[in-house]
């Protein structure tokens, strides 16, 4: 028995991060008790498939699942599926479940993810849906079978992916986005335009700088919408894709420090000596960037969960992975590495019209992030460059013959 035997870890949230924490804890030899509470009735599954292959009927539900219900038993993890933690006390080191049960913990892992945001004027009618859970995914897929025209509100990643899937299924997609370009704040104006073109070229009716000003109901369903561009559009189904609200109610009850839209955690992902947070709710003090980053992406949640599992089984260490995510839309594989909050230059490398290119986002001459369209190689070779935090010249980055790994080893604003 290890020195840690007898400790009880409670994980709240059995999604990407919570599941990874449980798995890593056991893999790393933790032999205390592990209880995982998950409001979802299903064991963990790959959320990213829900807007892509699963929606297009290219992947059966079994392949969407990360775990089968009996996997947790095999891992010696007590999975309480379909149960919600409704209260928490730091003083008593306990959480309370929706069936009244109280669970004491020695270590708590909070990985509660988020809930789709719903803007106030959007009516709660039968054909107005959001997409977060497997049940949402099944419902959307069923509803799409009978729908010819989908309205998507919001051209962020999930809205755009669903629109792309719907076009692939040869149905009509109308996307309404209030911003002048989609993802402009994250990717910059130019890339927002490239992204808009990607969808328009494939037949998405993307209306930017536009909002829904009126809803026309037919009984329990939306039949049409009035748009701010003066048009009225008939629709069969509406997907609300305007982001998520991180689920912070337990964090608030525990008195954890909030910031950057989530729970502030230190370099080791701890919000306090006995509380870890991971995934969409964690605003992590990243050692490479020296600031709190909160990232709503799959791989970040998995890796943070894994790091927490290993830390609980061993010793907490700074979590240093660079944020990375991908999105598949039509034949385009989009990848993003790093984190650019308030970049001052966006430097393209390659030809945006050629279908394969990248963009470097710089702040004070340092590369903060890289976005790649069908260009995984540049992402791979940029890791050291982002980590190095050395000043580099935009010219050197833009030049396709420049060896990015070599650039990481150099310093000085000339990049050479
Ligand atoms: C349709 C879709 C497509 C996506 N595609 C991509 C993609 O292509 N690439 C990418 O990088 N990311 C993608 N994402 C984002 C990615 O899935 C999330 O960032 C990731 O799942 C976050 O992990 P998490 O563990 O923080 O939260 P989740 O995976 O949401 O897990 C949180 C869990 O906590 C549970 N919970 C919440 N409150 C409580 C409570 N009080 N008690 C008990 N349980 C609770 C919830 O039920 C949920 O199951 C996508 C997301 C969606 C919805």
């Amino acid at each position: 028995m290890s020195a840690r035997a007898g400790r009880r870890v409670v994980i709240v949230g059995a999604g990407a991060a919570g599941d990874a924490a449980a798995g890593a804890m056991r893999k790393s030899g933790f032999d205390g008790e592990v209880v995982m509470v998950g409001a979802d009735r299903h064991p963990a599954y790959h959320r990213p498939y829900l807007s892509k292959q699963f929606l297009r009927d290219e992947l059966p539900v079994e392949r969407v699942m990360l775990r089968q219900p009996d996997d947790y038993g095999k891992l010696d993890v007590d999975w309480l599926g379909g149960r919600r933690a409704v209260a928490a006390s730091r003083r008593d080191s306990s959480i309370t479940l929706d069936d009244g049960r109280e669970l004491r913990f020695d270590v708590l892992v909070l990985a509660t993810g988020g809930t789709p945001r719903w803007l106030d004027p959007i009516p709660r009618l039968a054909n107005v849906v959001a997409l977060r859970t497997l049940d949402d995914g099944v419902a959307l897929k069923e509803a799409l079978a009978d729908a010819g025209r989908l309205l998507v509100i919001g051209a962020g990643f999930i809205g755009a992916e669903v629109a792309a899937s719907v076009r692939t299924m040869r149905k009509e997609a109308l996307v309404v986005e209030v911003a002048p370009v989609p993802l402009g704040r994250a990717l910059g104006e130019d890339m927002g335009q490239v992204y808009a073109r990607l969808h328009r070229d494939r037949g998405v009716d993307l209306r930017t700088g536009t909002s829904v000003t009126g809803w026309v109901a037919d009984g329990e369903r939306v039949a049409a919408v009035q748009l701010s561009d003066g048009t009225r559009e008939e629709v069969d189904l509406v997907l609300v894709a305007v982001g998520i609200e991180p689920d912070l109610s337990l964090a608030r009850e525990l008195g954890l420090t909030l910031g950057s839209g989530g729970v502030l955690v230190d370099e080791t992902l701890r919000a306090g000596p006995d509380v870890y947070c991971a995934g969409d709710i964690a605003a992590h003090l990243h050692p490479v960037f020296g600031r709190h980053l909160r990232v709503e992406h799959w791989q970040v949640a998995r890796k943070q969960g894994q790091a927490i599992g290993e830390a609980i089984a061993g010793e907490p260490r700074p979590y240093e992975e660079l944020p990375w995510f991908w999105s598949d839309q039509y034949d385009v594989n989009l990848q993003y590495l790093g984190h650019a909050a308030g970049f001052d230059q966006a430097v393209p490398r390659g030809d945006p019209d050629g279908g394969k290119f990248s963009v470097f986002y710089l702040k004070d001459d340092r590369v903060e992030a890289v976005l790649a369209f069908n260009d995984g190689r540049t992402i791979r070779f940029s890791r050291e460059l982002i980590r190095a935090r050395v000043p580099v010249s935009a010219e050197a980055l833009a030049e396709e013959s420049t060896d990015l790994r070599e650039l990481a080893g150099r310093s000085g604003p000339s990049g050479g």
Side-chain angles (χ1 to χ4, degrees):
M1 251 186 175
S2 85
R4 288 177 179 79
R7 280 196 306 164
R8 175 195 261 181
V9 178
V10 172
I11 303 172
V12 182
D19 173 84
M25 236 175 280
R26 287 304 186 219
K27 202 168 169 205
S28 308
F30 179 75
D31 58 4
E33 195 181 344
V34 180
V35 184
M36 184 163 65
V37 186
D40 202 312
R41 65 195 176 97
H42 303 287
Y45 47 85
H46 293 267
R47 272 183 220 286
Y49 286 144
L50 300 180
S51 49
K52 309 178 188 74
Q53 293 90 335
F54 177 70
L55 191 61
R56 300 193 296 264
D57 220 6
E58 295 166 7
L59 204 66
V61 72
E62 306 81 66
R63 297 268 311 278
V64 175
M65 304 312 296
L66 262 172
R67 305 269 189 199
Q68 300 305 317
D70 60 352
D71 287 346
Y72 293 117
K74 290 181 203 155
L75 267 180
D76 192 19
V77 169
D78 191 5
W79 169 56
L80 306 178
R83 281 268 89 86
R84 183 172 283 278
V86 290
S89 158
R90 191 76 179 275
R91 205 193 51 198
D92 301 336
S93 295
S94 72
I95 59 157
T96 309
L97 305 187
D98 53 2
D99 60 1
R101 229 178 320 167
E102 192 179 87
L103 287 179
R104 289 186 169 271
F105 60 81
D106 297 299
V107 180
L108 178 67
V109 180
L110 273 188
T112 46
T115 311
R117 196 172 284 139
W118 200 277
L119 304 175
D120 243 358
I122 300 176
R124 301 246 178 210
L125 291 175
N127 60 341
V128 186
V129 300
L131 178 59
R132 180 75 187 181
T133 65
L134 177 58
D135 289 346
D136 291 341
V138 170
L140 176 62
K141 193 166 146 177
E142 283 174 7
L144 260 180
D146 297 325
R149 192 176 201 211
L150 172 74
L151 164 66
V152 180
I153 301 182
F157 285 108
I158 291 177
E161 286 179 356
V162 170
S165 290
V166 162
R167 289 302 298 141
T168 308
M169 295 156 77
R170 298 184 189 286
K171 291 172 185 281
E172 284 181 52
L174 166 65
V175 180
V176 171
E177 166 61 55
V178 74
V181 292
L183 300 172
R185 239 185 43 204
L187 308 183
E189 169 95 22
D190 290 350
M191 280 310 107
Q193 297 286 13
V194 170
Y195 186 78
R197 216 164 45 235
L198 170 75
H199 288 278
R200 289 191 175 123
D201 285 352
R202 278 134 180 115
V204 172
D205 184 355
L206 170 61
R207 312 269 183 100
T208 47
T210 306
S211 54
V212 178
T213 51
W215 298 87
V216 183
D218 178 9
E220 278 306 295
R221 301 176 68 80
V222 167
V225 285
Q226 192 70 46
L227 301 182
S228 60
D229 63 8
T231 57
R232 180 191 145 114
E233 300 291 342
E234 316 262 306
V235 295
D236 301 316
L237 183 62
V238 182
L239 175 73
V240 181
V242 290
I244 61 158
E245 293 295 346
D247 279 332
L248 299 175
S249 54
L250 291 181
R252 280 198 188 92
E253 279 202 34
L254 290 163
L256 304 182
T257 311
L258 305 184
S260 301
V263 183
L264 295 184
V265 295
D266 68 10
E267 295 193 344
T268 65
L269 296 162
R270 279 186 295 187
D274 50 359
V275 181
Y276 288 85
C277 294
D280 288 358
I281 63 163
H284 168 232
L285 180 57
H286 200 290
V288 172
F289 296 91
R291 60 176 190 264
H292 287 95
L293 313 185
R294 193 176 67 77
V295 179
E296 293 173 1
H297 288 300
W298 179 260
Q299 195 68 6
V300 175
R302 295 295 289 170
K303 293 260 183 184
Q304 288 184 344
Q306 188 187 328
I308 289 172
E310 290 166 2
I312 291 170
E315 290 298 326
R317 275 182 291 131
Y319 173 81
E320 295 186 341
E321 294 276 344
L322 296 178
W324 172 79
F325 80 85
W326 83 101
S327 174
D328 290 316
Q329 298 173 27
Y330 316 101
D331 51 351
V332 175
N333 170 256
L334 211 134
Q335 295 188 46
Y336 183 96
L337 180 71
H339 194 271
F343 52 92
D344 48 32
Q345 284 187 84
V347 181
R349 180 178 165 108
D351 175 16
D353 293 326
K356 180 183 170 210
F357 70 100
S358 295
V359 181
F360 295 90
Y361 294 95
L362 278 76
K363 180 98 203 285
D364 300 330
D365 296 320
R366 287 165 175 81
V367 178
E368 299 270 295
V370 185
L371 168 73
F373 280 67
N374 290 329
D375 188 10
R377 193 165 185 268
T378 295
I379 292 282
R380 278 198 305 284
F381 288 176
S382 297
R383 271 179 206 285
E384 287 317 308
L385 196 53
I386 296 174
R387 283 189 183 286
R389 317 301 297 146
V390 292
V392 290
S393 81
E395 292 73 29
L397 286 172
E399 175 51 55
E400 285 186 81
S401 61
T402 303
D403 184 332
L404 297 172
R405 290 170 300 184
E406 211 176 278
L407 206 58
R410 300 191 214 163
S411 61
S414 68

